[in-house]
Amino acid sequence: MFAGKGKTMNKPLQDVVVLDLSRVLAGPFCTMILSDLGAEIIKVEHPEKGDDSRAYGPFLHNRSLYFLSINHGKKSISLNLKKPQGRELFLKLIEHCDVLVENFRPGTMEKFNLGYELLKEKYPQLIYAAVSGFGHSGPDSQKPAYDILVQARGGIMSITGWQNMAPTRVGMSLGDITASLFTAIGINSALYQRTKTGLGQKIDVAMLDGQIAILENALVRYQAEGISPKPLGNRHPTISPFQAYKARDNYFVIAVGNDNLWDTFCKALEIPELISDKRFCNNRLRTENIDALNAILEPIFTAKPASWWLEIMEKSGIPCSSINNIESVMQDPQLLARNMFVEVNDPIAGTVKIAGNPIKMSSFPDSAVHEPAPEIGAHNKEIYCERLGLSEEDLAELQKAGVI
Amino acid sequence: MFAGKGKTMNKPLQDVVVLDLSRVLAGPFCTMILSDLGAEIIKVEHPEKGDDSRAYGPFLHNRSLYFLSINHGKKSISLNLKKPQGRELFLKLIEHCDVLVENFRPGTMEKFNLGYELLKEKYPQLIYAAVSGFGHSGPDSQKPAYDILVQARGGIMSITGWQNMAPTRVGMSLGDITASLFTAIGINSALYQRTKTGLGQKIDVAMLDGQIAILENALVRYQAEGISPKPLGNRHPTISPFQAYKARDNYFVIAVGNDNLWDTFCKALEIPELISDKRFCNNRLRTENIDALNAILEPIFTAKPASWWLEIMEKSGIPCSSINNIESVMQDPQLLARNMFVEVNDPIAGTVKIAGNPIKMSSFPDSAVHEPAPEIGAHNKEIYCERLGLSEEDLAELQKAGVI
């Protein structure tokens, strides 16, 4: 709203102002996406402590790269919502904002006397997005949530990893990130709806719900087979061979996604007799007889290095890939060409590369550089004085009183 | 556009019509989300073969539950884009649509002479969303992609699983699903932007790019530490203890997310001496000394069943959870209360439960039942005759000619 006046529309959310009360990951990752799409993010932080994740590693020159990597380009204001004057300031601010994002435990905004029911009376156009562990309804709504809890409870740990071993966590915070993405979809669709109705609404996304939404065919596999799917290591549940194999040196992956590719694959490996082998002649049978198939394939693959096999597969058009670690992923030519590692020039940490925006849109050019993440309250003057009309004396007093 | 006229706005995308050329997973999962938000999805399928995933397991009464679970509530028309008459029909259809979604290999639409550059001349308001393996630019743009390839190449397999073991795949198609979610965000933001500018645009999302965008702090961990992060089993890289432990019977998870919780945790376990133990007195040290810490904790936990520990943790307010398999996840009271398992009444497969919509929005009630997935061409008459004005004779002829 602030930014929209008289500006050329380049990015889709160029005229959208987001008041961001969220901390750590699920909320900030969502507002980072909105920021990449052009929204102005006003991040509200506790005057002393700021966002908890400012204290999370990894650190460079004592700067949290965790915080930096998901808060670049945002504005920060300090505000203590527990103080009556803080609440007043919040109500002045929200008047100028399109979207509010919070990831408190459900009920917290009501404790501040700033719940959605109250806000919508005065600001019916407000889009209020809440990301929480278990959602704003249901018996466990109030329970504390962390990523590992929803990965465990949501079923993904039961189908990731290896049989007869300890359960395996997906190596990033899938619980948080998935909820962020669904929340960003909800906010964008609510912005669109508001252009028709003039009305905002409440969006309630639970990390646990998000885990169910991405279980893909595991739910129906259970219903078709009557037993819970098991973890399959690096295999696909219903396509074969579609997994990692060990070559003489390293692992690599192949995806023989259909029966035509199977023919090509057998010829490329010089095992044409398998094409007519009744155990393997269609995908369903190859999946049922995967142990027998792998007993044939594994010794073939371990005889030569991965580069040898990748070259043969590439030549025959069999989908294949080496397995990148983080070092090699950051040098991948395709990802460099797609601008997926963007520099942030932080005044303390120096130049750091973080992930680029994966949503390439023709209405605006991809950023080659991101703005750094803000210090706590770095934009107090801009927001409180220039926008809300407070004087510098007001600011000094509010600061002294611990309100900002 | 078709549906918008004179209708009450309930769902955010109620007036949006999507022409969906996509097959298998990344595209159809995206249009499923748009459908849940109210958009009308016109799924275009090859007259004979239909969507490839109609042949993917799991099956129930020979019905693909894979297909059913991501195509519920869509309309299907048959159309062969390779035939000149098919192309003509497509151009008539697209005139009435807001969004086009395709997940062909880059260049395919150009081969049909239906590339974005051509379409936008005549339909500048069209939002054209392409989901592909590696994106519409870069040296590997044309390569075939499957989920396992982007999980391998995108780095997630290098940080999931266990050290000194084979690489581990995330147990669902994270490559496809992530790209779906980013595409859905892009489409919604483009719809919003179009209300301001009247213009559509092209959205280009690559599965591989999406994997980078969700690597979270792994990229900065590599830059801070100078070595590629390793897989950590079920541990968190920077918070401890935050993992699965084995009780006498089963595994369970705990998340000691801050130092206050650590105090509470030590008291609850009756090991208060650890609070002042210098190896463990803050999160950073607990992470550095996790092996020493686990050597103390593991024998404690294996002495009693998981239910015992979960009760103690719950009482003390330590975030914890049992680990659900798919059977138990489908009976979870919180998820049932959140309507996360929705029935589809399929005429052949019967009643099947699939994931509900995780974006709970106050502008419309959550669906308790989803419409079934369509047969190939089930909506030919509705779309071709009622909307485009073709006669039933026209339809019969087009069918005979293999166009629809």
Side-chain angles (χ1 to χ4, degrees):
Chain A
M1 276 183 165
F2 288 128
K5 292 183 187 122
K7 282 219 177 174
T8 321
M9 286 290 301
N10 290 313
K11 294 191 177 182
L13 305 185
Q14 198 99 1
D15 65 338
V16 173
V17 181
V18 178
L19 196 64
D20 183 5
L21 302 183
S22 71
R23 297 100 359 95
V24 186
L25 184 54
F29 194 88
C30 169
T31 56
M32 177 193 77
I33 295 169
L34 303 180
S35 171
D36 283 346
L37 295 175
E40 178 179 39
I41 313 298
I42 303 174
K43 185 177 176 75
V44 174
E45 297 191 81
H46 188 279
E48 289 134 42
K49 294 177 293 181
D51 186 331
D52 292 345
S53 72
R54 290 183 181 272
Y56 288 8
F59 294 94
L60 200 61
H61 309 313
N62 264 324
R63 190 73 143 186
S64 165
L65 300 186
Y66 186 109
F67 179 81
L68 177 148
S69 66
I70 48 178
N71 290 288
H72 54 88
K74 300 179 186 177
K75 292 175 178 167
S76 168
I77 59 173
S78 56
L79 186 61
N80 185 344
L81 289 172
K82 287 184 185 163
K83 304 239 178 189
Q85 275 181 297
R87 185 175 173 275
E88 270 172 51
L89 273 178
F90 172 89
L91 289 170
K92 278 186 193 161
L93 271 168
I94 200 74
E95 203 166 320
H96 300 274
C97 294
D98 300 281
V99 179
L100 170 69
V101 178
E102 57 99 341
N103 65 347
F104 292 117
R105 213 186 283 192
T108 304
M109 288 296 280
E110 283 73 13
K111 273 187 208 151
F112 295 147
N113 197 17
L114 292 170
Y116 177 64
E117 292 306 312
L118 184 139
L119 293 175
K120 85 164 174 188
E121 289 301 314
K122 211 169 164 193
Y123 311 108
Q125 81 289 356
L126 180 69
I127 294 165
Y128 179 116
V131 199
S132 59
F134 302 113
H136 279 221
S137 60
D140 289 346
S141 175
Q142 300 296 317
K143 279 195 182 174
Y146 282 92
D147 178 73
I148 185 92
L149 266 62
V150 300
Q151 287 204 26
R153 189 166 171 180
I156 187 74
M157 285 180 78
S158 76
I159 55 170
T160 298
W162 302 81
Q163 282 183 53
N164 309 317
M165 274 190 60
T168 303
R169 175 181 180 266
V170 178
M172 35 67 73
S173 299
L174 188 63
D176 288 84
I177 302 267
T178 305
S180 301
L181 296 175
F182 280 118
T183 307
I185 293 169
I187 289 170
N188 276 288
S189 72
L191 282 165
Y192 175 70
Q193 186 171 24
R194 197 178 66 170
T195 66
K196 311 274 169 176
T197 61
L199 294 174
Q201 60 183 301
K202 181 174 175 180
I203 302 166
D204 162 19
V205 173
M207 287 164 59
L208 182 62
D209 292 353
Q211 293 303 285
I212 304 312
I214 62 165
L215 279 179
E216 206 203 333
N217 59 63
L219 294 179
V220 289
R221 253 188 292 150
Y222 165 65
Q223 292 171 80
E225 292 162 13
I227 50 163
S228 286
K230 300 262 187 302
L232 295 174
N234 51 47
R235 283 208 294 117
H236 192 281
T238 56
I239 313 177
S240 307
F242 191 107
Q243 66 176 80
Y245 286 100
K246 184 140 177 44
R248 197 167 63 205
D249 48 357
N250 294 313
Y251 284 89
F252 67 104
V253 297
I254 54 168
V256 180
N258 59 48
D259 294 340
N260 288 343
L261 284 173
W262 171 246
D263 279 21
T264 315
F265 176 79
C266 292
K267 286 172 195 155
L269 283 192
E270 296 174 7
I271 41 172
E273 64 278 13
L274 289 200
I275 298 175
S276 52
D277 190 314
K278 280 181 187 155
R279 295 171 298 172
F280 311 130
C281 63
N282 65 41
N283 179 60
R284 204 168 181 167
L285 289 166
R286 286 193 295 280
T287 303
E288 279 173 30
N289 299 309
I290 186 67
D291 290 341
L293 178 56
N294 282 343
I296 300 168
L297 296 180
E298 283 165 4
I300 298 176
F301 286 133
T302 50
K304 301 274 183 187
S307 57
W308 169 280
W309 295 118
L310 289 170
E311 204 185 316
I312 288 180
M313 299 293 156
E314 290 268 358
K315 263 188 200 154
S316 326
I318 308 288
C320 62
S321 178
S322 54
I323 300 176
N324 273 331
N325 63 14
I326 302 300
E327 182 176 3
S328 57
V329 92
M330 290 187 79
Q331 293 158 4
D332 188 298
Q334 179 66 13
L335 288 163
L336 295 173
R338 296 281 291 175
N339 192 33
M340 281 309 295
F341 305 105
V342 173
E343 287 188 356
V344 174
N345 298 304
D346 184 82
I348 292 176
T351 298
V352 177
K353 284 187 184 170
I354 61 175
N357 173 23
I359 312 172
K360 312 295 184 192
M361 300 178 75
S362 63
S363 63
F364 67 96
D366 229 15
S367 303
V369 176
H370 280 316
E371 292 297 308
E375 304 290 348
I376 302 173
H379 301 82
N380 279 353
K381 208 173 144 185
E382 178 184 336
I383 303 295
Y384 288 130
C385 299
E386 292 170 30
R387 300 232 183 137
L388 297 190
L390 271 64
S391 68
E392 299 212 17
E393 291 74 45
D394 293 336
L395 274 203
E397 266 178 46
L398 287 167
Q399 216 149 12
K400 214 171 141 194
V403 177
I404 68 168
Chain B
M1 278 179 164
F2 287 128
K5 289 177 191 133
K7 282 220 181 177
T8 320
M9 288 288 299
N10 290 314
K11 293 190 177 182
L13 306 184
Q14 197 99 2
D15 65 340
V16 173
V17 182
V18 178
L19 196 65
D20 182 7
L21 302 182
S22 71
R23 298 98 1 94
V24 186
L25 185 55
F29 194 87
C30 168
T31 56
M32 177 192 75
I33 294 169
L34 304 180
S35 171
D36 283 346
L37 296 175
E40 179 179 39
I41 313 299
I42 303 175
K43 185 176 177 75
V44 175
E45 297 191 80
H46 188 279
E48 289 135 41
K49 293 176 294 180
D51 185 331
D52 293 345
S53 71
R54 289 182 181 272
Y56 288 8
F59 294 94
L60 200 60
H61 308 313
N62 264 325
R63 190 75 145 184
S64 165
L65 300 187
Y66 186 108
F67 179 81
L68 176 149
S69 67
I70 49 178
N71 289 288
H72 54 87
K74 300 178 186 176
K75 292 175 179 169
S76 168
I77 59 173
S78 56
L79 187 61
N80 186 344
L81 289 171
K82 287 183 185 162
K83 303 242 177 189
Q85 275 181 297
R87 183 176 174 276
E88 269 172 53
L89 273 178
F90 172 89
L91 288 170
K92 278 188 193 159
L93 269 168
I94 199 74
E95 203 166 317
H96 299 275
C97 294
D98 302 281
V99 180
L100 171 70
V101 178
E102 58 100 338
N103 64 346
F104 292 118
R105 217 188 279 195
T108 304
M109 287 296 281
E110 283 74 13
K111 274 186 208 151
F112 296 146
N113 197 19
L114 292 170
Y116 177 65
E117 293 307 313
L118 184 139
L119 292 176
K120 84 164 173 188
E121 289 302 315
K122 209 165 166 200
Y123 311 107
Q125 82 289 355
L126 179 69
I127 295 164
Y128 179 115
V131 199
S132 59
F134 303 113
H136 280 221
S137 61
D140 290 344
S141 175
Q142 302 295 319
K143 280 197 181 171
Y146 281 92
D147 179 73
I148 186 94
L149 266 63
V150 300
Q151 286 204 27
R153 189 165 172 181
I156 188 75
M157 283 180 78
S158 75
I159 55 170
T160 298
W162 302 82
Q163 283 185 53
N164 308 317
M165 273 189 60
T168 303
R169 175 180 181 266
V170 178
M172 35 66 74
S173 299
L174 189 64
D176 288 83
I177 301 267
T178 304
S180 302
L181 296 175
F182 280 118
T183 307
I185 294 170
I187 290 171
N188 276 287
S189 73
L191 282 166
Y192 175 71
Q193 186 171 24
R194 197 177 68 169
T195 65
K196 313 273 168 178
T197 62
L199 295 173
Q201 59 184 300
K202 181 173 175 180
I203 302 165
D204 162 18
V205 173
M207 285 164 60
L208 183 62
D209 293 353
Q211 293 302 286
I212 304 312
I214 62 165
L215 279 179
E216 205 204 333
N217 59 62
L219 294 178
V220 290
R221 252 187 295 150
Y222 165 66
Q223 291 170 82
E225 293 161 12
I227 51 163
S228 287
K230 300 260 187 304
L232 295 173
N234 51 46
R235 283 209 294 118
H236 191 281
T238 57
I239 313 178
S240 307
F242 190 108
Q243 67 176 82
Y245 286 100
K246 184 138 175 45
R248 198 167 63 202
D249 46 359
N250 294 312
Y251 284 90
F252 66 103
V253 297
I254 53 168
V256 180
N258 60 49
D259 294 340
N260 287 342
L261 282 174
W262 171 246
D263 279 21
T264 314
F265 176 79
C266 293
K267 285 172 196 158
L269 284 192
E270 295 174 6
I271 41 171
E273 65 277 13
L274 290 199
I275 298 174
S276 53
D277 191 314
K278 280 179 188 156
R279 294 170 299 172
F280 311 129
C281 63
N282 65 43
N283 178 60
R284 204 167 181 167
L285 289 166
R286 284 192 297 278
T287 302
E288 280 173 30
N289 298 309
I290 187 66
D291 291 341
L293 178 56
N294 281 343
I296 299 168
L297 296 180
E298 283 164 4
I300 296 176
F301 286 133
T302 49
K304 301 274 183 186
S307 57
W308 168 280
W309 296 118
L310 289 170
E311 203 184 318
I312 287 178
M313 299 293 159
E314 290 268 359
K315 265 189 201 156
S316 329
I318 308 288
C320 62
S321 178
S322 53
I323 300 175
N324 273 332
N325 62 15
I326 302 300
E327 181 177 4
S328 58
V329 92
M330 290 187 78
Q331 293 158 4
D332 187 298
Q334 179 66 14
L335 287 163
L336 294 174
R338 297 281 290 174
N339 192 32
M340 282 309 295
F341 304 105
V342 172
E343 287 187 356
V344 174
N345 299 306
D346 185 82
I348 293 175
T351 298
V352 176
K353 283 186 182 170
I354 61 174
N357 173 22
I359 312 172
K360 311 296 182 191
M361 299 178 77
S362 63
S363 63
F364 67 96
D366 229 15
S367 302
V369 177
H370 280 317
E371 293 296 306
E375 305 290 346
I376 302 174
H379 300 82
N380 279 353
K381 208 172 144 188
E382 177 183 337
I383 303 295
Y384 289 130
C385 299
E386 293 171 28
R387 300 230 183 139
L388 296 191
L390 271 65
S391 68
E392 298 210 17
E393 291 74 45
D394 293 337
L395 275 203
E397 268 179 41
L398 288 166
Q399 217 150 11
K400 213 171 142 192
V403 177
I404 68 170

